Amino acid sequence: MIRTKFTETFGIEHPILCGGMTGLGTAPLIAAVANAGALGFLTALTQPTPEALAAEIRRTRDLTDRPFGVNLTILPTINPVPYDEYRAAIIESGVTVVETAGSSPEPHLPDFHGAGVRVIHKATSVRHAVSAATKGVDAISIDGFECAGHPGEDDVPGLVLIPAAARALAGFDIPLIASGGIATGEGLVAALALGADAANMGTRFVASAEAPVHENVKQQIVRNTELDTLIVFREFHNSARVARNSISEEIAQISRRAGATFADVAHLASGARGRENVLRDGDMEGGLWWASQAQGVIHDVDTVQNIVDRIVDDAGRTIAARLSGMLVRDPVGA
């Protein structure tokens, strides 16, 4: 067992998280993560209404008696999202940990903290991490450039970003969670060595038996390598790492044209199209779907319990055997 500031602060057995993933953060997967001793997050906005979110929280509780959280991603939208009502549903349901992402969590902190809810904020840069810590969040998840989803515009990979964030946040005495491109026990150990207290994994848990996606998606992740992702929307200052397929390649090609706007690719980038054609129906060329460079180190589909057990076992062996075996002690009397 690996004990860190994260496991002690949040009362979780292992320093492993399954962060919020739109369309995937539902009861079967998140309950399995919790039962395996890690911390998973339902995605609030996967549910069409706050009432539906409350029902999904109850469904998760029917499947596990261990802690789990809810992700609340705060972004500007064409149709206004009733964030106050989603926040109230989270609090009234007795959830004790929330992962925020996107815009500043500051407007939500008084209500969450007043109800005893701890807030983990996901940031993609040191400056945003420090800003969130200054506002009083309870932990920071720092997203390296390798991650699926939106890595920000700075293009700093985890090998640099994690220790830079750890140094900048040292005075706040809150856990730091490494995110982006991590899927193995060795990756967890590397994150801990760089100054993190836990590792967040998304793509690894998509390739699990319990993930609510078509089997074709899981097997595609196993077949893919670290080269099978693509950054799209860079031209629109909203960079996103997605899986490489004909749709993401077409989006990238159109976006490079002089004068291109997001409207030119909106029909290809539709979230509904990706969820229905790819995640639900298994048409791997049917839409845009998200995956990180961690695909290069994911070699099987397994149960969440087995995935977590293997990560923890491999991390323990790496620390106890491989790394300790590299230490050379001076001979007595030398």
Side-chain angles (χ1 to χ4, degrees):
M1 184 177 295
I2 300 172
R3 183 176 298 165
T4 70
K5 184 186 298 183
F6 166 80
T7 62
E8 292 177 346
T9 300
F10 288 88
I12 304 300
E13 185 177 354
H14 303 305
I16 298 170
L17 299 87
C18 173
M21 296 184 285
T22 301
L24 283 81
T26 56
L29 175 60
I30 301 313
V33 171
N35 286 331
L39 179 61
F41 293 87
L42 299 172
T43 40
L45 302 188
T46 292
Q47 304 303 322
T49 65
E51 293 77 16
L53 173 60
E56 193 68 8
I57 292 170
R58 291 193 296 271
R59 188 161 79 108
T60 308
R61 285 218 175 92
D62 288 340
L63 299 173
T64 184
D65 58 1
R66 292 192 172 192
F68 62 90
V70 174
N71 166 281
L72 187 65
T73 297
I74 309 156
L75 292 171
T77 57
I78 296 174
N79 298 314
V81 174
Y83 283 110
D84 292 353
E85 295 176 27
Y86 276 100
R87 185 182 66 230
I90 293 168
I91 292 171
E92 291 166 8
S93 297
V95 171
T96 59
V97 57
V98 164
E99 176 190 62
T100 57
S103 301
S104 171
E106 187 173 18
H108 302 276
L109 291 178
D111 282 356
F112 279 139
H113 283 163
V117 179
R118 291 190 176 98
V119 177
I120 300 170
H121 186 65
K122 184 178 285 189
T124 59
S125 69
V126 172
R127 63 188 181 278
H128 292 150
V130 170
S131 175
T134 301
K135 288 165 181 156
V137 300
D138 302 283
I140 291 290
S141 181
I142 193 77
D143 244 349
F145 185 55
E146 306 93 333
C147 72
H150 297 282
E153 306 300 319
D154 295 338
D155 298 359
V156 181
L159 195 62
V160 173
L161 187 61
I162 297 164
R167 180 181 177 87
L169 295 169
F172 291 95
D173 194 32
I174 58 176
L176 174 65
I177 299 152
S179 182
I182 304 171
T184 65
E186 293 82 359
L188 171 58
V189 172
L192 298 177
L194 292 170
D197 301 291
N200 177 45
M201 306 179 190
T203 305
R204 171 65 272 195
F205 287 114
V206 179
S208 71
E210 293 87 348
V213 299
H214 197 282
E215 185 66 22
N216 288 356
V217 178
K218 304 174 188 185
Q219 295 301 330
Q220 188 67 54
I221 290 172
V222 172
R223 285 193 298 272
N224 281 353
T225 74
E226 66 279 4
L227 301 178
D228 290 307
T229 71
L230 198 63
I231 297 292
V232 295
F233 311 146
R234 163 114 332 156
E235 295 80 2
F236 316 128
H237 307 290
N238 190 28
S239 296
R241 186 178 299 281
V242 299
R244 186 184 293 272
N245 67 2
S246 59
I247 296 295
S248 59
E249 298 249 3
E250 186 176 357
I251 289 172
Q253 181 181 26
I254 293 171
S255 300
R256 287 192 292 266
R257 296 174 184 168
T261 67
F262 183 76
D264 297 320
V265 299
H267 63 294
L268 297 169
S270 164
R273 175 177 179 166
R275 287 190 296 273
E276 293 169 9
N277 293 352
V278 181
L279 301 186
R280 186 190 67 191
D281 297 339
D283 177 2
M284 302 314 299
E285 303 297 326
L288 203 66
W289 61 286
W290 310 83
S292 80
Q293 291 181 317
Q295 290 178 114
V297 293
I298 297 171
H299 305 302
D300 64 359
V301 176
D302 207 338
T303 65
V304 165
Q305 184 69 61
N306 286 344
I307 289 169
V308 171
D309 287 348
R310 189 191 319 156
I311 289 169
V312 173
D313 289 347
D314 288 350
R317 277 193 294 272
T318 300
I319 294 169
R322 187 168 190 271
L323 296 184
S324 65
M326 293 178 181
L327 290 174
V328 177
R329 297 173 175 84
D330 291 336
V332 176

